Amino acid sequence: MIAILAAAAALALWPQNAAPAPSEAAWTWTLYSDDTPVVLANEVPDTANLRSTLECEPGSNVARLTVYGGEQATPGMARITAGSAAAVAEAQAGRGGSLKLALRTDHPVFAAFAAGGPLGVAVGDQRRTVEVPAAHLAKLRRFAELCSG
């Protein structure tokens, strides 16, 4: 009887509109290059599910990276790494635990990222990684090309 009451209480607390987490196969990288800004998104298409986005104004040489999810983001100086390259940038906490920063597309870190290396972002003890699978690297390279001045 107690188990039934506990289960009923748990169901009453469950959000009514909670959707199951999307499967790994549902995630993809999508390049939106017809509008300004140019956006490369790691998303589940036609939903609000995002892992990360890269945005830029064409020809600006600056990509704005937002990494979603995880624990509450801490603003501060971020160490960004890809391959053997490293950079430092100011990171800001965004809505819903997201972390935002800007990175030049002509920097060696971005070049190593576009070559296929994961992009690591560390602020204090928090670590986040952005990885673009080989099947989607052409989209990342096209994003960098559109952003370059």
Side-chain angles (χ1 to χ4, degrees), residues 41-121:
N42 186 204
E43 65 178 354
V44 176
D46 301 322
T47 72
N49 294 307
L50 291 169
R51 285 185 179 155
S52 57
T53 58
L54 289 157
E55 298 179 43
C56 76
E57 299 300 323
S60 68
N61 278 332
V62 176
R64 296 177 306 277
L65 170 66
T66 303
V67 184
Y68 299 92
E71 58 191 77
Q72 183 60 35
T74 303
M77 295 308 292
R79 178 172 165 74
I80 305 147
T81 57
S84 61
V88 177
E90 184 177 352
Q92 300 173 348
R95 294 169 32 146
S98 65
L99 184 69
K100 299 178 175 211
L101 58 92
L103 182 62
R104 292 194 54 87
T105 57
D106 57 358
H107 192 283
V109 167
F110 201 91
F113 177 46
L119 184 73
V121 179

Side-chain angles (χ1 to χ4, degrees), residues 2-27:
I2 292 175
I4 293 172
L5 290 174
L11 285 175
L13 295 175
W14 187 260
Q16 296 301 315
N17 59 355
S23 71
E24 193 60 34
W27 291 93

